[in-house]
Amino acid sequence: MILTLNCGSSSLKYQLFDGCAERVLAKGLVSRIGETRGRIEHRAGAFAETRDLAIPDHAAAVTLLLEMLGHAASGFDLAAIDGVGHRVVHGGDAFCESVTIDEGVIAEIEAWVPFAPLHNPANLIGIREAMAVFPNATHTAVFDTAFHQTMPPEAYVYPLPWELYARNGIRRFGFHGTSCRWVAGEAATLLGRPLDELKLIVCHLGNGCTIDAIEYGRSIDPSLGFGTVSGVMMGTRSGDFDPVLILHLARSLGMDLDAIDRLIHKQSGLVGIAGVGNDMRDVIEGMEAGNPRCRLAFAMFCRMVRKYVGAYAAVMDGVDAVVFTAGIGENCARVRAEICRGLSHLGLALDERANEEPSAAARSIGRAGAAVAALVVPTDEERMIALDTSALMRAGQEGLAA
Ligand code: AMP
């Protein structure tokens, strides 16, 4: 069996797959790690359990999830877990694909901590804990940044003094790569065409958002960059804005760096504009009730996404499909319709009825015969992690046999 672990700063998501990464056997979420009132929500087939208890650290979270998996009602033999796939947020330009973890890989992930100070340390704790519990399993690192390593320099170098890139490694990295890679592959399957012949624009619209231009299977321009704020506005993050504003906030309004950090990461985007929270459902509810700030937040969000789609169509000299994924992209017909409304000049024509139809399946929402397809593809980062882990385990075994 393969276990996937996605360690955040105060949460841990896990899924247990069969060895081929086809079937999900169990899944769960440990939240509020480090607080006195933590929680684990666990499901395995018909068995479901939620427990509220203090979870002091990630080590306790791993112990707890193993207890749940080994619980008589779930009934999994933990000794049969021979692969553990770890989501790692930042691999910088050191990793262009998933790798089997050894000491060198751990050191490299550590080296990227200054670039992802909230995420990589949590990912490393998960790796160390799981390696202690499963010393004989193959542990793999699947990086959010790896898929975007195919960006050309004209996309990843910032128009800042060259030395900042050359000496300090400051450049665009992009994130949500695991999601974009999965979604691009599924979109190609849905279209019945090879991925390496397609120009795709993936709109990963969740609490965090990435718009990505994927040309012939290679990510060439993800909208997140050095950090996770650029691109389109998100649940709590601003998206693109003039960086001179940061100088103004500091000099004229006396804000310090921590306050600006909170402002751009936690207090902007939907939450900042609509004022009713970071959830698109609440924004739409507010809009329907006549709240002008909600209407504005909705309009801004869709306009920013549409702008990126237009820009990426220009970058790739065309597009075969616009693909929606993640919480908003998969579930919100209204947002998709508003984005697509301005894309008819590209040859995209929405099938309104298909767009409105609720479904959890990968599907087309465009009109038959339109020059540019419109698709909805559910993302599945965990499956991508499990598939990579399964492939690395096979490659390891073949290596040993050879
Ligand atoms: P994710 O980060 O992919 O889990 O997406 C989470 C976000 O998706 C939530 O914060 C909501 O804004 C959004 N979302 C989920 N379901 C819906 C829905 N039915 N309609 C609109 N937005 C939704």
Side-chain angles (χ1 to χ4, degrees):
M1 295 186 293
I2 295 172
L3 179 66
T4 62
L5 292 181
N6 180 350
C7 262
S9 51
S10 65
S11 69
L12 198 175
K13 274 194 238 165
Y14 60 93
Q15 287 196 19
L16 186 67
F17 288 85
D18 64 7
C20 310
E22 269 167 19
R23 235 159 35 92
V24 179
L25 307 172
K27 64 202 279 189
L29 169 68
V30 188
S31 50
R32 299 201 291 262
I33 298 170
E35 293 178 29
T36 44
R37 292 208 58 232
R39 166 171 285 194
I40 181 163
E41 294 156 81
H42 175 82
R43 279 232 319 264
F47 171 70
E49 187 170 343
T50 298
R51 271 196 226 163
D52 290 312
L53 72 173
I55 305 168
D57 51 31
H58 284 78
V62 172
T63 308
L64 192 59
L65 79 87
L66 293 176
E67 200 181 299
M68 284 296 206
L69 286 171
H71 194 286
S74 289
F76 296 111
D77 173 12
L78 299 183
I81 295 177
D82 39 20
V84 185
H86 300 266
R87 175 194 182 211
V88 180
V89 165
H90 216 312
D93 53 12
F95 298 100
C96 58
E97 59 189 2
S98 304
V99 291
T100 301
I101 299 174
D102 57 19
E103 284 307 318
V105 169
I106 290 181
E108 196 64 57
I109 297 170
E110 261 161 7
W112 289 97
V113 165
F115 288 70
L118 295 181
H119 293 99
N120 274 26
N123 301 155
L124 281 163
I125 292 171
I127 289 172
R128 290 213 179 86
E129 291 302 326
M131 285 181 106
V133 177
F134 300 106
N136 300 319
T138 302
H139 292 260
T140 64
V142 180
F143 300 93
D144 273 20
T145 46
F147 182 56
H148 304 306
Q149 278 300 303
T150 42
M151 262 188 275
E154 55 268 37
Y156 70 70
V157 176
Y158 281 111
L160 296 169
W162 170 249
E163 290 70 28
L164 282 179
Y165 167 65
R167 279 203 213 119
N168 306 97
I170 290 171
R171 50 162 284 174
R172 292 174 62 223
F173 295 103
F175 297 87
H176 295 124
T178 309
S179 170
C180 292
R181 185 156 64 100
W182 168 265
V183 167
E186 292 293 289
T189 305
L190 197 59
L191 294 169
R193 291 179 58 191
L195 182 58
D196 59 10
E197 285 178 9
L198 289 168
K199 296 175 183 177
L200 301 174
I201 298 173
V202 169
C203 302
H204 174 111
L205 308 177
N207 197 29
C209 297
T210 281
I211 318 299
D212 193 17
I214 302 175
E215 188 175 48
Y216 311 136
R218 296 156 64 86
S219 168
I220 59 160
D221 212 334
S223 57
L224 292 177
F226 177 79
T228 54
V229 168
S230 65
V232 303
M233 69 192 267
M234 307 174 218
T236 64
R237 290 172 251 167
S238 64
D240 295 337
F241 69 96
D242 187 341
V244 170
L245 240 162
I246 291 183
L247 307 180
H248 180 74
L249 294 174
R251 287 184 186 139
S252 305
L253 303 186
M255 286 177 79
D256 64 16
L257 281 181
D258 286 340
I260 295 174
D261 184 338
R262 274 196 303 281
L263 183 99
I264 63 175
H265 283 100
K266 301 273 178 216
Q267 300 166 344
S268 298
L270 296 179
V271 91
I273 299 298
V276 296
N278 65 342
D279 194 310
M280 183 57 89
R281 285 166 287 201
D282 296 332
V283 173
I284 289 176
E285 203 179 296
M287 177 167 77
E288 279 166 355
N291 180 331
R293 278 176 55 186
C294 290
R295 196 178 326 120
L296 177 63
F298 177 85
M300 285 169 68
F301 180 87
C302 298
R303 189 175 192 275
M304 285 176 99
V305 176
R306 196 192 302 142
K307 233 164 112 168
Y308 264 89
V309 172
Y312 286 168
V315 163
M316 294 193 288
D317 191 14
V319 53
D320 294 300
V322 176
V323 193
F324 294 97
T325 192
I328 300 173
E330 289 167 33
N331 298 304
C332 191
R334 194 129 175 206
V335 163
R336 293 192 301 256
E338 179 61 18
I339 294 167
C340 292
R341 201 173 53 78
L343 299 176
S344 55
H345 69 285
L346 291 178
L348 187 147
L350 200 66
D351 176 336
E352 268 95 22
R353 181 145 0 126
N355 184 44
E356 295 285 341
E357 199 128 312
S359 163
R363 60 201 185 274
S364 164
I365 53 166
R367 287 202 207 132
V372 176
L375 308 177
V376 177
V377 172
T379 191
D380 198 343
E381 287 165 293
E382 274 71 23
R383 189 174 301 273
M384 192 81 261
I385 294 171
L387 281 168
D388 279 1
T389 304
S390 169
L392 284 165
M393 286 162 69
R394 263 200 318 277
Q397 279 154 9
E398 281 159 16
L400 280 181

